Amino acid sequence: MRQHSAQLASVLTGSFEREVSSNVFNGSERVLEEVRFESWQIDSDLGRGVCSQGSGTIVRPSVDGSSVVPVGTEGVLSPFRARIEPVMTIRAGGFEESISLGTYRVGSVTAASDTMAVVEGRSLVVASRVSLGFDSLEVDVDRWGFKFPEQSRAGVSAFSEIRRLTGMPVEESVPDVPVPSLKVWEAKQGGRLEAVLELGKVLGGSAVVNSRGAWVILPDVIGDPVATLLLGERGTVTEVADEIETYTVFNQVVGSYEDATGKPLYAVAEVTSGPLSVSGDYGVNTRYHSSDLVKTQAQADAAVRAVLNESISSQQYDVQVQCHVNPLVEVGDVVELEGWKRPLVGRLRRVSLSDSPYMTVTLRVARRLM
């Protein structure tokens, strides 16, 4: 979740006003502060390597007749140097609090213009409008390629390797694990980001940059909700809870691994009782599994059992929701939906925020099978 006070969480359950402005940075220097930000939208998708993409228009009145329309690499809003931080301010009665929606790298200027006026015989800029496209900070790692293939160091942990590969802050949100000593990261387009995303899978989740600018791992397991979304009278829910598909419900897992000397290791786990038994009406649905982290027979047996338990314990499906805007939640959060016909808890896979009082999200919800 984005950082906030306890009082703001309560304010968001009632009526409030909101306004979005933006700070602009060149490097670590804030060069524009709290400028108007119009026609904005930020779309986040946990399935993308660069998780969030957005657009919006900076509107800056000029007090000295100068323009902020960029020209090539010049100008504080040039996509060759600018980063923006959209900030949403919530007001209700005498309460006011501002929430950072994250920092983003400007990748494009899609339109720019100055409004002119003649003052004492001189033509001066009275305001600049600059429309921008921007991306979340995973894009920095995506753009930064390897000069040549790199091999991870023996005994290094996954989080240490993420720090080394990105040069960015890391918040250890799940237990750390060792990286296979012979793992080689390829020198190819997007190879560094691909390496970080692979390390996220090794850690049991998805690697993303959060609104504080730090890499975190969002675990695959759906935990307890950290926030509540309000459906409201104009809210909508589109779900497929009544649809059932069995293609990914595996009742047998076959593991194939290698020990430290390269000798093959094999393990099998299967359901032997109940409606999903391999000897019952459901039949056998086999999944194959391998992992560089498995080096002993005990680890192999544990790995196939864990994969089997994950398969038979739940089936996940997506629910699309339009609800009241809540600037506290971000992609990857586990939330509860209030105002629906039944309790609904899931992980935010997609979030679309804009200047609308409503936002659109996709919740990934788990259905229990056994």
Side-chain angles (χ1 to χ4, degrees):
M1 290 184 70
R2 296 182 172 98
Q3 295 177 325
H4 64 283
S5 69
Q7 187 177 358
L8 176 57
S10 176
V11 166
L12 291 173
T13 64
S15 178
F16 58 88
E17 297 179 350
R18 62 194 178 86
E19 180 183 12
V20 175
S21 61
S22 186
N23 300 317
V24 179
F25 295 85
N26 290 172
S28 59
E29 181 185 1
R30 182 161 57 183
V31 292
L32 295 177
E33 184 175 359
E34 297 182 355
V35 292
R36 281 176 57 193
F37 199 46
E38 297 181 348
S39 304
W40 65 276
Q41 182 163 334
I42 301 173
D43 296 319
S44 303
D45 187 337
L46 197 54
R48 290 195 301 242
V50 179
C51 185
S52 300
Q53 298 171 341
S55 62
T57 299
I58 294 284
V59 181
R60 177 185 179 267
S62 177
V63 296
D64 58 1
S66 63
S67 170
V68 293
V69 170
V71 179
T73 60
E74 299 301 318
V76 295
L77 290 175
S78 168
F80 290 93
R81 63 172 64 185
R83 294 172 186 257
I84 66 167
E85 179 195 23
V87 176
M88 183 178 291
T89 300
I90 303 296
R91 299 185 181 93
F95 174 85
E96 179 177 313
E97 185 170 338
S98 296
I99 299 296
S100 172
L101 301 183
T103 300
Y104 302 84
R105 178 175 183 145
V106 176
S108 64
V109 172
T110 57
S113 63
D114 288 323
T115 300
M116 310 296 294
V118 177
V119 180
E120 297 180 351
R122 292 190 304 159
S123 182
L124 300 177
V125 175
V126 294
S128 299
R129 296 179 62 90
V130 181
S131 297
L132 308 169
F134 50 87
D135 303 280
S136 52
L137 297 184
E138 296 94 353
V139 73
D140 286 345
V141 179
D142 188 41
R143 294 163 63 106
W144 180 21
F146 292 119
K147 294 180 180 178
F148 40 77
E150 293 190 12
Q151 181 173 307
S152 60
R153 293 173 286 121
V156 71
S157 74
F159 276 121
S160 295
E161 189 71 344
I162 291 176
R163 289 188 179 92
R164 184 184 74 84
L165 292 174
T166 66
M168 297 170 63
V170 173
E171 296 179 6
E172 298 193 14
S173 51
V174 297
D176 207 352
V177 298
V179 176
S181 59
L182 297 180
K183 187 63 183 179
V184 177
W185 310 121
E186 295 184 45
K188 61 180 182 180
Q189 200 72 42
R192 189 180 295 267
L193 178 58
E194 185 177 303
V196 175
L197 298 180
E198 184 173 342
L199 287 166
K201 294 177 182 178
V202 168
L203 285 161
S206 301
V208 300
V209 177
N210 64 17
S211 58
R212 296 178 291 280
W215 282 94
V216 295
I217 306 301
L218 304 174
D220 294 330
V221 177
I222 298 175
D224 296 328
V226 298
T228 299
L229 300 181
L230 302 178
L231 189 59
E233 294 181 1
R234 294 175 53 198
T236 60
V237 177
T238 303
E239 65 172 332
V240 291
D242 295 330
E243 297 181 9
I244 300 175
E245 59 88 10
T246 64
Y247 300 105
T248 59
V249 181
F250 301 100
N251 58 358
Q252 182 184 78
V253 177
V254 176
S256 178
Y257 315 100
E258 290 184 355
D259 68 11
T261 66
K263 181 181 177 181
L265 293 172
Y266 300 100
V268 177
E270 56 188 21
V271 180
T272 57
S273 61
L276 297 183
S277 171
V278 292
S279 60
D281 293 338
Y282 182 58
V284 181
N285 191 11
T286 305
R287 176 180 174 179
Y288 295 90
H289 182 257
S290 63
S291 171
D292 293 337
L293 297 178
V294 174
K295 296 298 179 183
T296 68
Q297 188 62 52
Q299 291 174 341
D301 293 338
V304 293
R305 175 55 58 182
V307 174
L308 179 66
N309 288 341
E310 179 182 358
S311 174
I312 65 175
S313 64
S314 68
Q315 182 185 29
Q316 296 184 342
Y317 61 97
D318 288 345
V319 180
Q320 295 183 357
V321 179
Q322 179 178 292
C323 58
H324 284 292
V325 66
N326 185 330
L328 305 185
V329 300
E330 52 189 322
V331 67
D333 285 342
V334 176
V335 300
E336 181 178 13
L337 180 65
E338 185 176 289
W340 184 228
K341 61 185 180 183
R342 60 184 180 80
L344 202 59
V345 175
R347 183 177 300 283
L348 290 171
R349 295 288 301 180
R350 300 184 186 91
V351 178
S352 183
L353 280 171
S354 69
D355 44 15
S356 165
Y358 279 74
M359 67 181 190
T360 302
V361 303
T362 298
L363 288 177
R364 183 150 294 178
V365 179
R367 177 195 289 117
R368 305 297 297 183
L369 295 180
M370 290 183 65

